[in-house]
Amino acid sequence: MFEQDYRVCFPKERIYISRNHQWAFAAWAMGKSTGLLGEKTTLLHVDAHLDDTWDGVVVEGLHGMKGNSDYLDVAGKLEIDNFIWAGFAAQTIDYIVYVCPKHVDESDPFDLTGWNLEGEQLKPIREILKQREYKGSRYECVQHLREHLSASSDRINQVLNYPNSVILDLDLDVFKLNLSDPLNLELKPDDQIRDELSFLRDLYPYDMITVALSPAFCGGENNCERLYRLFLEGFELELSKAETW
């Protein structure tokens, strides 16, 4: 079902879905160019992985993009783990809220003290950071985010850096039960998945939603199809009304 270039969208709902996560970069760039996203944008990245590899900033064509064909061309050259830094370098996103389990990756995505920023290899990062700070926050899971927000009605605006535009960037692999064991294909219970999807859906009036299916990290095509069905159900979408993009 999910070919490598599988991409569909629901333009009215501003939801862009792809098999592989790097295509979210193209959706963000399109949103920025059309004015759907404002001057500053927060990315709410809900994923089993940080996807914060830095080398997306040096992908060919990133700094010469002029239209949709360029955005798609650059996205096609990115990988599934380096598109966030590419989006930051292209100024399509400005502030990142990671909802990613620390037992998969304990590193602090905002602590760059261990990076050799004076070296030649990371010169592109050094030049970017002269102009803009890579900043945001991190939560262990959807439940921890929910608990943090429940303490105060104003916290949602603080967390998402209001008045930024906000993108919900969801990878369905976050619903795999044991993220550390690729041989364990079990998913979270359907009721828990529905509850977390409902929470994310109602959390904020997002300016855009990007979704990665990531079957290889969900435990295979069957698991991915099940999660996709639950997502469509939870966000009240009919796949027959989707458009390719």
Side-chain angles (χ1 to χ4, degrees), residues 38 176 244:
K176 188 169 179 285
T244 58

Side-chain angles (χ1 to χ4, degrees), residues 32-45:
K32 186 75 170 184
S33 69
T34 60
L36 183 62
L37 302 176
E39 181 181 356
K40 299 292 183 181
T41 297
T42 293
L43 184 73
L44 177 58
H45 179 70

Side-chain angles (χ1 to χ4, degrees), residues 2-222:
F2 306 113
E3 300 295 333
Q4 287 293 328
D5 60 351
Y6 180 85
R7 299 194 306 274
V8 299
C9 67
F10 297 85
K12 182 179 178 181
E13 292 82 4
R14 305 182 301 281
I15 297 176
Y16 293 80
I17 301 168
S18 59
R19 173 192 172 106
N20 296 323
H21 212 156
Q22 66 264 37
W23 294 104
F25 169 88
W28 307 341
M30 291 175 187
K32 186 75 170 184
S33 69
T34 60
L36 183 62
L37 302 176
E39 181 181 356
K40 299 292 183 181
T41 297
T42 293
L43 184 73
L44 177 58
H45 179 70
V46 184
D47 195 318
H49 309 91
L50 292 172
D51 296 340
D52 67 337
T53 304
W54 69 268
D55 61 359
V57 307
V58 295
V59 70
E60 181 183 359
L62 180 67
H63 300 290
M65 299 184 299
K66 296 180 180 179
N68 289 358
S69 62
D70 292 332
Y71 307 147
L72 290 166
D73 181 62
V74 169
K77 297 173 183 175
L78 291 168
E79 302 293 340
I80 59 173
D81 63 351
N82 66 3
F83 60 95
I84 290 181
W85 265 101
F88 184 75
Q91 299 189 36
T92 60
I93 57 173
D94 304 275
Y95 189 89
I96 302 94
V97 179
Y98 290 95
V99 182
C100 306
K102 292 183 180 179
H103 68 272
V104 176
D105 186 344
E106 295 182 357
S107 64
D108 181 348
F110 306 107
D111 181 6
L112 309 183
T113 56
W115 295 25
N116 181 19
L117 294 175
E118 299 306 315
E120 187 64 25
Q121 185 181 36
L122 291 180
K123 181 180 178 181
I125 296 292
R126 183 171 72 247
E127 295 303 314
I128 292 169
L129 295 177
K130 285 180 180 178
Q131 305 298 324
R132 304 161 65 223
E133 182 182 359
Y134 192 77
K135 59 184 179 179
S137 57
R138 181 179 183 178
Y139 299 88
E140 172 71 17
C141 60
V142 171
Q143 182 58 29
H144 285 186
L145 175 63
R146 185 181 347 218
E147 291 171 358
H148 177 76
L149 294 176
S150 67
S152 168
S153 60
D154 188 50
R155 276 197 175 175
I156 183 63
N157 288 333
Q158 296 173 12
V159 168
L160 297 179
N161 207 31
Y162 181 84
N164 283 11
S165 298
V166 179
I167 301 169
L168 170 61
D169 181 51
L170 173 66
D171 194 320
L172 297 186
D173 68 1
V174 78
F175 298 118
K176 188 169 179 285
L177 187 61
N178 190 332
L179 299 171
S180 301
D181 183 2
L183 298 180
N184 185 334
L185 306 184
E186 190 175 359
L187 298 175
K188 295 177 181 179
D190 282 7
D191 286 348
Q192 181 181 352
I193 295 171
R194 288 190 177 98
D195 177 65
E196 293 186 2
L197 285 170
S198 177
F199 168 75
L200 291 171
R201 181 196 65 209
D202 298 336
L203 179 63
Y204 200 79
Y206 304 107
D207 297 276
M208 176 182 285
I209 297 173
T210 49
V211 181
L213 303 180
S214 302
F217 297 96
C218 292
E221 298 277 339
N222 290 338

